[in-house]
Amino acid sequence: MTVRRLGENGDIVTSGVQFISERDEIAQTIRTRLRLFLGEYFRNSKDGTPWFQDILGKGSTLTNKDASIKRRINQTNGVLKILTYNADYDINTSQYTVSGSVLTQFGEVLFNG
């Protein structure tokens, strides 16, 4: 499968290399899936990462938060399994950073989101 390449700011690239596939495609797809909030997509309100529902809210354990994110990564087309996973939450900026690597049919792919 081939997808349109996104630039650093998330916009569709319209010049140069405009399409990506294989490893780059999977890394970009993981990143965009993590950035999609649950209920944000009008065509499927059940799709998305449960940032407000499970991850950023109070009352959920770190284990449950990581499980929600890992589930989202594992459900990405082309991902066979997560090899490494790192999550960091900066309480001062309220920024949740996720990175790691996954095994795909094309080999190991690094991701961040």
Side-chain angles (χ1 to χ4, degrees):
M1 192 168 137
T2 300
V3 298
R4 283 220 175 242
R5 185 168 67 97
L6 301 178
E8 290 297 318
N9 59 0
D11 292 336
I12 294 173
V13 173
T14 58
S15 63
V17 178
Q18 296 179 31
F19 297 94
I20 56 175
S21 60
E22 298 182 359
R23 296 166 63 134
D24 292 333
E25 172 195 358
I26 293 171
Q28 178 177 292
T29 302
I30 290 171
R31 187 171 42 256
T32 56
R33 285 175 52 80
L34 289 176
R35 291 179 180 176
L36 179 69
F37 284 70
L38 181 62
E40 180 180 15
Y41 185 43
F42 73 97
R43 294 187 73 191
N44 184 356
S45 61
K46 295 182 181 182
D47 189 19
T49 306
W51 288 107
F52 294 125
Q53 295 81 1
D54 298 342
I55 299 166
L56 298 177
K58 295 180 181 179
S60 181
T61 66
L62 186 57
T63 303
N64 290 341
K65 295 172 193 269
D66 286 340
S68 291
I69 296 170
K70 287 179 180 179
R71 186 176 319 107
R72 187 80 172 144
I73 294 167
N74 273 322
Q75 292 172 347
T76 303
N77 287 338
V79 172
L80 301 176
K81 71 177 183 175
I82 296 174
L83 298 174
T84 62
Y85 173 83
N86 299 305
D88 182 46
Y89 178 69
D90 185 341
I91 196 161
N92 296 321
T93 62
S94 297
Q95 186 171 7
Y96 204 100
T97 307
V98 178
S99 63
S101 64
V102 294
L103 180 63
T104 72
Q105 64 185 12
F106 307 109
E108 185 176 348
V109 173
L110 302 176
F111 69 86
N112 60 17

